[in-house]
């Protein structure tokens, strides 16, 4: 394989399965009639290897047919897990994501509610309870879920909070996923809402930095970086070992648009020119 081919393969590995399909969630708020067919199109596309499972809240499972691999967001806490997964067709349960877990005891209960062999994500809150909850998840077989945004400013963790969570997960060898707010590759201020959004490439690079033993201040600086050329350059410098180590920790994130992150990567030159042409011809995002 030539150098270009090797680099393209490493890029696909870096972004493989990174983008979970959260089309049902804000701010996209697609209907099931829009989101489910769009997911099938994503899975049949040239970028299918970059797309994770379809994320569906337990309150909407009755709207979903049995042909989609689904990650179920359990909104009623650990006690509601069993009822939720019984609604998923055989062989179609990709993961279980439990929200409403407020303390270490609830985290232990949530871990125990995940069926053996099923990928489990336990959402951990921001604040003083987080380190103890990460302790409880470490070695449990479940991963952490970090909320990185929302529709109001208070839903977004600061760079410091996010850096501490990433460092905490890495120190415990605890995989994690993120949810909400990661609409684009680079840290930015949203034009319409003026909300401060983290960038998914910033998170990947911050995870890599934490694995390499970077200081808290350096991890914060990576999360705060807004210069596209700097982020793109640092991403290109990741070798295969760093990519594998980073993705073993940062598993995926939920995005209400699959196409927006692909368009960002193409604009940064992190997908091949051929792929960046095809982004324009990809399935349209449900409106």
């Amino acid at each position: 394989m030539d150098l270009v081919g090797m680099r393209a393969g490493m890029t696909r590995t870096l972004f493989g399965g990174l983008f979970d399909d959260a089309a049902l969630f804000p701010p996209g708020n697609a209907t099931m009639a829009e989101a489910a067919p769009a997911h099938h199109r994503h899975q049949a596309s040239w970028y299918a290897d970059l797309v994770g499972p379809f994320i569906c809240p337990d309150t909407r499972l009755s709207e979903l047919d049995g042909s989609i691999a689904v990650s179920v967001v359990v909104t009623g806490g650990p006690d509601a897990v069993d009822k939720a997964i019984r609604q998923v067709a055989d062989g179609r349960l990709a993961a279980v994501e439990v929200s409403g877990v407020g303390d270490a005891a609830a985290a232990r209960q949530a871990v125990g509610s995940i069926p053996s062999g099923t990928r489990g994500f336990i959402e951990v809150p921001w604040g003083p309870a987080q380190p103890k909850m990460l302790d409880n998840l470490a070695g449990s077989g479940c991963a952490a879920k970090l909320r990185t945004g929302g529709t109001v400013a208070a839903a977004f963790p600061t760079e410091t909070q996010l850096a501490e969570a990433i460092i905490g997960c890495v120190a415990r060898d605890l995989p994690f996923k993120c949810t909400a707010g990661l609409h684009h590759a680079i840290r930015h201020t949203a034009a319409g809402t003026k909300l401060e959004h983290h960038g998914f490439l910033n998170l990947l690079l911050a995870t890599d930095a934490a694995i390499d033993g970077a200081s808290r201040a350096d991890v914060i600086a990576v999360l705060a970086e807004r210069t596209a050329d700097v982020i793109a350059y640092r991403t290109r410098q990741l070798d295969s070992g760093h990519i594998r180590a980073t993705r073993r920790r940062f598993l995926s994130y939920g995005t209400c648009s699959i196409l927006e992150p692909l368009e960002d990567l193409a604009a940064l030159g992190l997908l091949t020119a051929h792929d960046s042409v095809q982004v324009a011809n990809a399935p349209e995002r449900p409106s």
Side-chain angles (χ1 to χ4, degrees), residues 197-215:
H197 287 255
H198 297 286
F200 67 84
L201 286 183
N202 295 77
L203 263 76
L204 283 168
L205 292 172
T207 303
D208 175 69
I211 292 167
D212 272 355
S215 69

Side-chain angles (χ1 to χ4, degrees), residues 149-220:
T151 57
V152 296
F156 291 80
T158 65
E159 289 104 329
T160 298
Q161 288 175 310
L162 189 50
E164 290 173 346
I166 291 170
I167 292 168
C169 287
V170 167
R172 294 169 175 83
D173 198 20
L174 175 63
F176 65 94
K177 73 169 293 183
C178 295
T179 184
L182 298 176
H183 298 168
H184 291 289
I186 311 294
R187 172 85 181 180
H188 66 283
T189 304
T193 63
K194 304 303 180 185
L195 294 173
E196 294 291 323
H197 287 255
H198 297 286
F200 67 84
L201 286 183
N202 295 77
L203 263 76
L204 283 168
L205 292 172
T207 303
D208 175 69
I211 292 167
D212 272 355
S215 69
R216 176 174 173 270
D218 285 344
V219 176
I220 291 170

Side-chain angles (χ1 to χ4, degrees), residues 6-256:
M6 290 176 62
R7 173 52 59 183
M10 288 167 59
T11 298
R12 303 294 282 209
T13 301
L14 178 59
F15 304 123
L18 181 63
F19 310 110
D20 292 345
D21 189 350
L24 297 176
F25 293 81
N29 295 315
T31 66
M32 190 68 77
E34 296 166 329
H39 185 75
H40 284 300
R41 294 196 297 272
H42 295 317
Q43 290 295 332
S45 71
W46 63 270
Y47 53 85
D49 59 319
L50 309 184
V51 181
F54 186 79
I55 303 179
C56 184
D58 54 359
T59 54
R60 299 187 66 179
L61 287 170
S62 62
E63 303 173 45
L64 188 64
D65 66 38
S67 63
I68 291 179
V70 61
S71 184
V72 179
V73 177
V74 180
T75 59
D79 290 335
V81 170
D82 184 63
K83 178 181 178 181
I85 62 179
R86 282 191 276 108
Q87 298 179 65
V88 180
D90 289 345
R92 295 298 179 180
L93 183 63
V96 176
E97 307 181 22
V98 185
S99 57
V101 180
D103 55 35
R108 289 191 294 271
Q109 182 186 359
V111 168
S113 71
I114 307 296
S116 177
T118 300
R119 169 67 80 181
F121 294 95
I122 312 301
E123 184 169 343
V124 295
W126 298 104
Q130 189 180 84
K132 185 63 175 176
M133 291 185 68
L134 296 180
D135 287 341
N136 278 271
L137 293 181
S140 70
C142 287
K145 180 177 176 180
L146 305 176
R147 185 161 295 276
T148 46
T151 57
V152 296
F156 291 80
T158 65
E159 289 104 329
T160 298
Q161 288 175 310
L162 189 50
E164 290 173 346
I166 291 170
I167 292 168
C169 287
V170 167
R172 294 169 175 83
D173 198 20
L174 175 63
F176 65 94
K177 73 169 293 183
C178 295
T179 184
L182 298 176
H183 298 168
H184 291 289
I186 311 294
R187 172 85 181 180
H188 66 283
T189 304
T193 63
K194 304 303 180 185
L195 294 173
E196 294 291 323
H197 287 255
H198 297 286
F200 67 84
L201 286 183
N202 295 77
L203 263 76
L204 283 168
L205 292 172
T207 303
D208 175 69
I211 292 167
D212 272 355
S215 69
R216 176 174 173 270
D218 285 344
V219 176
I220 291 170
V222 174
L223 291 171
E225 179 61 61
R226 294 170 181 260
T227 306
D229 287 347
V230 170
I231 294 295
Y233 174 80
R234 291 179 180 175
T235 302
R236 290 191 191 96
Q237 301 313 300
L238 296 175
D239 61 25
S240 59
H242 282 81
I243 289 171
R244 287 193 298 270
T246 297
R247 289 304 313 279
R248 190 167 71 81
R249 274 73 165 201
F250 183 10
L251 299 177
S252 65
Y253 78 92
T255 174
C256 66

